[in-house]
Amino acid sequence: SDQISSPTSKRSSGETQTNRHLETSRRMSHNDTIPLYQSSQSDIDEIENMMNAGFQSGPGSVLPARPPSPIRPSIPVSSSPFVQSNLPPLPPSSSSAAQKATPVPAPPSLPPAVNFGSSEGSKTTGFGSPPNTLTEPVWDTVKRDLSRIVSNLKLVVFPNPNREDPGKALRDWDLWGPFFFIVFLGLTLSWSASVKKSEVFAVAFALLAAGAVILTLNVLLLGGHIIFFQSLSLLGYCLFPLDVGAVICMLKDNVILKMIVVTVTLAWSSWAAYPFMSAAVNPRRKALALYPVFLMYVSVGFLIIAID
Amino acid sequence: MDESFSNLQTSHLLGSVPAVISEDDKKSTNVHISSVNEGPSANMQIFPPHQGNSSKGYQTLESPTEGPEQQPSNNWKGYFNVYSYAQYFNVDTDVVLNRLMSSLYPTSGDFFSKIDANPDLYGLVWICTTLVFVLSSLGNCATYLVKKRTNSEAPWVFDVNYINLAASLIYGYAIIVPVAFYFSLRYMGSRADLLRFWCLWGYSLFVFVPATLPLLIPVEFLRWVIILLAGSASSCFVALNLRSYLEASNDLTVVLAVAFGLQMVLSIFIKVWFFP
C-alpha cells in the first residue's frame, strides 16, 4: 500500500531526517509483508498512525501513549485481565531469521515515549521505539529471547502458582523454545547412537514435530478450544524434562539407570502437559485428549532408552 | 404434537394448505435425509465433508434443499477445514472404552448397532498408532532379548526400520482394506458404509495391542499359539459383525471368508516380521 511505500521514498532522502524516522521507515520496509494475524495488521496501522503523527509533530516531541493492541489470543479459560509481561516481544531481526509466523504480541501499556531518545535496549515493543531494538547489541536481543524462554519454561515445567490457570500461564508463548528443545533432543539421541546417527535424528525430529501437530489436531477434532501455535509451544516446552533425561542417559550407559531416569522424566513431562491439555477439552473427553500426549512421550522415552 | 407443530410452521406461509402437504414434504425430505445420511459416507459427496453438519440422524428441513446449492461453492472448503472433520470424533471417553471392550468379545455381532448413531474415527487413528508403537518397540525388545539369550558378541542395534515397517503395514491395512470392501460391496449391490467400515476395522485391531506383550516370550510355539488366538479373535469379530450388518445374500460368505482371511494374514505377518 502506498502508506507503507511512502516511508521508503522518504528514506531515499532520509539523510536529513532524524534517526527515529530513519529507523521507523527501515522497520516498516522490513516488515512489508502480509501479516498473518489480525493483531499484527492493527499494529502496522498503529505504526503508520504514529509515524504520521510523528512527522507532523516534529522531532524531539513526546508522542502520546498508544492504545494497547488487541490481546493476542490464548486459551480462553480464565477471565483474568491482561497480564503485563515484562518481556518485550520478539524483535523483527530475529523473526526474519526464522521462517515462522511470530505474530506481534500485545505491548505493555506503558507509553513508549519514555524510551525515546534513550539508546540502550529497553523494555518496549519493537514497533514502539524502533531505534532501540534495531541498534541494540545482538547480545541484548539474544538475552531477551533467552529470558523469555526461561520464563516460559518456569511457567510450564516447574511447579508455580500460575500453572493451574492455563490462560495466564503461556500467554507469552514463542516457538524458539520448542524448536531448541526438539533439536537438542534429536542431537542428543543422534550423538548417543552408535550407528545410523542421521536416521535416529530424523526419526526423533519427525516424531516430535509431527506428533505435536497431530496432538493439537486431535484436541481440535475432539471439540476442544486451543490455539494451534500455543499448543505447539506448550508441547515443545514439556519436552524439557525428556531433554534432561536424554543427557543423563547419554552420559551413563546403564540400562536400569536409564529406565529409572526415563520413567521419572516421562512422568514429569506428562505432569507438565496435563493442566493445559485437560483444560482445553470437555471434561468427559479429557482422557481421550491426554492419552495421545502420553503415547508420544512414552515413545520418545522408549527411543531414549533404546539408543545406546 | 405433530399437527400442532406443522400448524406452527405453516402459519408463516401464506395461503398454504396446512397439514397434508407439509407432512408429505416432511416425509419426502425425511426419506431424502435418511438416504443421504445413511452413513455420512454412503454418499461419497457427504463423507469428505462439505459443511460442518452434525452426523446425527436428523437434519433440519432446510438443509437438503440448501445442500445442492451450497455444495458447489463450499465443497472445497470442507476438505481443508479441521472443524468439518470434528463430526467424526464426537465421542466421549466412556463411549470409546465401551467400544474397545466390545471389540474383545468377538461373538456378539452387535458392533454395528452400537456405532450406528455415532461412528467415530478416533478409535481407528489412535488404535493404529498405538499398535505401530507397540509393534516397533516390542519387536526391538524381542530382538534384544534374543541377543541377550544367545549371548552373541554382536552389539544390539535399535532398528529404526521397524517403525517404518509397522507404520506401513498397520496404516495401510486399516485404511485400504475397508475401502476395498466398501467398493466391492457397493459393486455387488449390498449396502455399505465407508465410515462404519473404518470404525469396525479400527476397533478390530485393538485386540492385538494386549496380545503383543506376551509375544515377547522367546518360545516359538507359544508365540504361534498367542498370535493365532489373537488373529482368530480379531477375524471372528470382523466377520461376525459384517455378517450381521449385511443383508442375507448368497455371495455373502465369500466376502466374510475374505475378511476373515485377510485379518489372519495380517496377524501372521505381525508374527513373522516383528517376532521371528
Side-chain angles (χ1 to χ4, degrees):
Chain A
S1 75
D2 53 346
Q3 273 192 323
I4 296 180
S5 62
S6 62
T8 47
S9 62
K10 283 192 180 174
R11 183 163 57 112
S12 57
S13 61
E15 264 68 36
T16 58
Q17 287 185 356
T18 61
N19 215 18
R20 184 184 70 216
H21 293 301
L22 194 61
E23 301 302 331
T24 313
S25 56
R26 202 193 306 161
R27 176 67 48 87
M28 281 312 302
S29 62
H30 196 71
N31 283 291
D32 197 5
T33 52
I34 302 173
L36 288 171
Y37 285 79
Q38 284 299 107
S39 57
S40 23
Q41 179 58 51
S42 62
D43 278 338
I44 294 179
D45 290 338
E46 283 175 14
I47 296 151
E48 293 167 352
N49 291 339
M50 272 183 60
M51 278 166 34
N52 294 335
F55 294 145
Q56 290 159 11
S57 56
S61 66
V62 171
L63 288 181
R66 54 197 201 103
S69 304
I71 296 177
R72 187 170 30 164
S74 67
I75 301 176
V77 171
S78 70
S79 58
S80 58
F82 170 61
V83 172
Q84 183 172 335
S85 75
N86 56 2
L87 293 171
L90 214 54
S93 53
S94 49
S95 73
S96 64
Q99 294 285 328
K100 291 192 265 271
T102 52
V104 177
S109 52
L110 288 173
V114 170
N115 297 300
F116 270 99
S118 68
S119 56
E120 58 265 18
S122 56
K123 298 176 180 179
T124 60
T125 70
F127 290 123
S129 65
N132 303 305
T133 54
L134 265 186
T135 57
E136 67 181 6
V138 174
W139 172 243
D140 280 353
T141 310
V142 173
K143 195 168 62 172
R144 198 184 318 134
D145 288 337
L146 282 178
S147 52
R148 194 220 329 261
I149 291 178
V150 169
S151 87
N152 274 339
L153 198 62
K154 281 200 294 225
L155 282 174
V156 169
V157 176
F158 296 102
N160 71 76
N162 280 338
R163 276 194 88 237
E164 297 311 314
D165 185 4
K168 195 183 290 191
L170 207 56
R171 196 173 272 271
D172 207 10
W173 56 268
D174 69 313
L175 287 175
W176 277 117
F179 176 72
F180 178 68
F181 291 139
I182 292 180
V183 168
F184 182 75
L185 188 59
L187 285 176
T188 311
L189 287 178
S190 165
W191 182 273
S192 42
S194 43
V195 293
K196 287 187 187 173
K197 287 175 184 274
S198 51
E199 260 191 44
V200 168
F201 179 83
V203 166
F205 190 86
L207 173 68
L208 289 168
V213 172
I214 291 174
L215 288 175
T216 313
L217 281 181
N218 184 46
V219 169
L220 288 176
L221 285 169
L222 283 174
H225 301 286
I226 207 170
I227 305 297
F228 185 74
F229 284 109
Q230 192 174 14
S231 159
L232 290 188
S233 167
L234 164 83
L235 287 168
Y237 274 112
C238 291
L239 275 180
F240 172 74
L242 283 169
D243 273 353
V244 169
V247 167
I248 297 178
C249 289
M250 182 173 75
L251 298 174
K252 295 289 236 173
D253 212 6
N254 186 2
V255 174
I256 304 294
L257 176 74
K258 274 189 183 181
M259 289 176 80
I260 296 176
V261 163
V262 165
T263 313
V264 167
T265 54
L266 188 77
W268 188 6
S269 281
S270 309
W271 172 81
Y274 177 81
F276 301 96
M277 282 297 176
S278 63
V281 286
N282 191 344
R284 289 198 310 267
R285 304 183 180 185
K286 221 161 53 165
L288 296 185
L290 285 172
Y291 166 71
V293 179
F294 179 69
L295 182 67
M296 183 176 92
Y297 287 149
V298 163
S299 58
V300 171
F302 185 79
L303 209 56
I304 296 176
I305 295 181
I307 302 287
D308 58 351
Chain B
M1 280 63 117
D2 268 348
E3 280 134 20
S4 61
F5 188 65
S6 59
N7 278 341
L8 260 175
Q9 280 189 334
T10 57
S11 65
H12 298 289
L13 306 171
L14 294 178
S16 65
V17 181
V20 176
I21 292 184
S22 62
E23 274 181 19
D24 278 347
D25 264 348
K26 245 200 255 178
K27 279 207 200 99
S28 60
T29 48
N30 266 341
V31 166
H32 183 51
I33 289 171
S34 65
S35 68
V36 156
N37 233 9
E38 160 88 338
S41 60
N43 183 0
M44 278 302 276
Q45 281 181 321
I46 300 290
F47 166 60
H50 63 279
Q51 336 177 13
N53 283 334
S54 72
S55 69
K56 300 209 166 57
Y58 311 106
Q59 279 187 352
T60 60
L61 268 176
E62 287 77 29
S63 48
T65 53
E66 276 181 2
E69 292 147 38
Q70 277 192 6
Q71 262 187 357
S73 55
N74 282 352
N75 206 7
W76 63 273
K77 264 196 221 164
Y79 292 88
F80 294 114
N81 186 11
V82 169
Y83 294 105
S84 58
Y85 290 98
Q87 53 178 311
Y88 306 120
F89 287 81
N90 195 18
V91 281
D92 294 336
T93 309
D94 48 351
V95 170
V96 171
L97 284 177
N98 186 11
R99 293 179 184 183
L100 286 177
M101 289 302 124
S102 74
S103 79
L104 294 176
Y105 297 108
T107 51
S108 61
D110 63 348
F111 191 73
F112 275 104
S113 60
K114 208 176 273 215
I115 68 172
D116 199 35
N118 193 12
D120 71 303
L121 292 179
Y122 181 90
L124 175 76
V125 169
W126 290 109
I127 292 176
C128 288
T129 310
T130 310
L131 192 57
V132 165
F133 163 66
V134 161
L135 281 180
S136 58
S137 60
L138 292 184
N140 275 309
C141 276
T143 55
Y144 177 74
L145 287 176
V146 165
K147 283 259 167 62
K148 245 176 90 159
R149 208 163 161 242
T150 60
N151 276 337
S152 74
E153 284 307 313
W156 174 75
V157 148
F158 172 76
D159 193 3
V160 179
N161 266 333
Y162 272 39
I163 299 179
N164 294 339
L165 206 58
S168 340
L169 177 69
I170 299 297
Y171 282 124
Y173 182 86
I175 291 177
I176 294 178
V177 166
V179 171
F181 269 90
Y182 171 73
F183 281 119
S184 50
L185 281 174
R186 294 279 288 190
Y187 175 73
M188 288 195 276
S190 316
R191 67 169 180 153
D193 182 11
L194 186 57
L195 192 63
R196 286 170 174 78
F197 280 3
W198 266 331
C199 192
L200 171 76
W201 258 275
Y203 280 102
S204 76
L205 290 179
F206 173 67
V207 74
F208 289 115
V209 172
T212 321
L213 199 55
L215 278 180
L216 276 180
I217 305 172
V219 178
E220 191 67 19
F221 173 69
L222 198 58
R223 281 182 174 180
W224 276 110
V225 165
I226 292 172
I227 200 66
L228 284 175
L229 278 178
S232 53
S234 182
S235 317
C236 284
F237 177 73
V238 170
L240 289 175
N241 279 308
L242 266 184
R243 184 174 72 177
S244 66
Y245 178 68
L246 302 170
E247 283 98 30
S249 60
N250 38 10
D251 55 359
L252 209 60
T253 45
V254 175
V255 169
L256 294 183
V258 168
F260 190 93
L262 279 177
Q263 203 87 358
M264 288 304 292
V265 165
L266 174 75
S267 59
I268 293 179
F269 264 132
I270 289 177
K271 162 68 181 66
V272 165
W273 277 352
F274 294 99
F275 303 96

